[in-house]
Amino acid sequence: MKVVVFIDVQNDFVTGPLGSKWAQRVTPDIIRFAKACRSKGYALYATADTHKATVYDDYGKNPGERKVVSGYLMTLEGERLPTEHCIEGTDGHKIVEGLVKDENRDVIIQQSHIIDKRTFGSYLLADRIENDFPEKQCVLGIAKGYGETLDEIIVCGFCTSICVSANAQLLRARFPNVPITVVNNLCADIDEKSHWSALRVMTNCQMDIKDWNYNAGAEVGSFKGGFGSLEQWYLEYAGNNAFYICSRYNGMCLQVTNGFASPF
C-alpha cells in the first residue's frame, strides 16, 4: 500500500503570517491530489506544526518592559524566527479546509492520522506509520495495522527546505528500503533557491522527486508561474549562426532531437 503524507498544510502557512502566494497557488492542487489518493485507497497522514501561545509578564508600565515567560517566543525556534504561527486553538493552526473533509463532509484524512508536532520533524509521524505497517503484519493470527506491506511513501506540503525535508529525512532513516517520493509541484518554500536546494539534498538521499530532474537529458516541463529563474532562458552564441538556449537557473541548455538549424 502507498502512504501519502501532507506536511503542515495549515492556514498560517497559506494565508497567515508565514503564508505566500506560492502556497496559495498549490493548495487547491494538494486538495485535489488528496481526494485522488483517497479514491485509490492510499493511507493518508498529515502533520500540523503546533506551538504554545507566548505568555508575557507585564511587570513594567511601558510596553517595552514586557518579559516573555513561556510559549513560542521562549523556544529556540521562536528566538530565531520571532513570528508566532500555528498556535494551538487558533484558526491558523488548523489544516486548510477541504483537506480533512471534502465539500460533502466526507473524511479525506482521518483525525487520528493528523500528527501535531512541536518542531520541524516528527518522530511520532514515523512511529505511527511504522505501527500501521509493521514488519510482522500478523501476530497470533491477528492482523496488525493495515495488514499490508508499505510499498511507497509520498510526501508534499510546506515548507520544502524546512518541515518537508526534515520529515522526509526522518522517514528515510526509519524506512531505509521503502521508496520515498517528494512531489515537487505540490510543495512551496520560503524562496525558490531554498526549494530547489532542498530537492537536490533529498535526491542525494535517494528520494525520488516527481516533476523535477537535474540530470542531463531530462524533459522540460511547464509550471503555473512564479518560479523565477527556473522559467527564464537566455541565448548564448554557439557560432555558425546558431545559439544555445540556456536555463538561467542552472546554465544547462536545451537539446532538440532530430532538429536542424536554419535561418528560414
Side-chain angles (χ1 to χ4, degrees), residues 72-83:
Y72 175 72
L73 293 180
M74 282 288 287
T75 66
L76 179 64
E77 179 183 341
E79 292 176 5
R80 300 190 179 188
L81 178 63
T83 301

Side-chain angles (χ1 to χ4, degrees), residues 204-239:
N204 292 343
C205 292
Q206 300 177 351
M207 301 180 207
D208 299 315
I209 311 298
K210 184 173 172 23
D211 298 323
W212 181 80
N213 194 325
Y214 202 83
N215 299 324
E219 295 183 358
V220 176
S222 61
F223 296 90
K224 292 184 177 180
F227 290 94
S229 63
L230 183 68
E231 297 182 304
Q232 297 175 3
W233 304 82
Y234 65 91
L235 298 178
E236 184 176 294
Y237 187 59

Side-chain angles (χ1 to χ4, degrees), residues 37-190:
C37 291
R38 178 192 60 177
S39 67
K40 293 178 180 178
Y42 298 168
L44 275 55
Y45 300 81
T47 65
D49 202 34
T50 304
H51 300 292
K52 297 286 187 181
T54 300
V55 177
Y56 297 89
D57 180 7
D58 295 315
Y59 67 91
K61 295 182 178 180
N62 300 319
E65 295 177 346
R66 300 179 74 197
K67 181 181 179 181
V68 175
V69 294
S70 66
Y72 175 72
L73 293 180
M74 282 288 287
T75 66
L76 179 64
E77 179 183 341
E79 292 176 5
R80 300 190 179 188
L81 178 63
T83 301
E84 287 193 285
H85 60 281
C86 299
I87 303 300
E88 284 182 305
T90 66
D91 286 339
H93 177 256
K94 294 178 181 177
I95 303 292
V96 298
E97 186 173 356
L99 186 56
V100 177
K101 292 185 178 181
D102 64 18
E103 60 275 9
N104 298 318
R105 309 307 295 169
D106 291 329
V107 174
I108 298 178
I109 302 177
Q110 300 176 38
Q111 195 64 40
S112 62
H113 282 201
I114 299 176
I115 313 297
D116 287 349
K117 60 184 184 65
R118 299 292 180 184
T119 187
F120 308 121
S122 173
Y123 291 108
L124 293 178
L125 171 65
D127 290 343
R128 179 56 198 268
I129 294 174
E130 187 174 53
N131 184 65
D132 288 343
F133 295 90
E135 290 188 12
K136 293 183 178 180
Q137 299 171 34
C138 188
V139 178
L140 299 177
I142 301 175
K144 295 182 65 179
Y146 281 92
E148 298 188 35
T149 58
L150 178 56
D151 299 320
E152 180 185 7
I153 300 174
I154 302 169
V155 182
C156 63
F158 313 135
C159 292
T160 319
S161 63
I162 308 174
C163 294
V164 171
S165 177
N167 284 284
Q169 298 285 8
L170 285 175
L171 292 170
R172 165 52 68 231
R174 184 67 64 89
F175 305 101
N177 296 313
V178 176
I180 296 177
T181 300
V182 179
V183 187
N184 164 44
N185 60 5
L186 296 182
C187 293
D189 208 343
I190 54 177

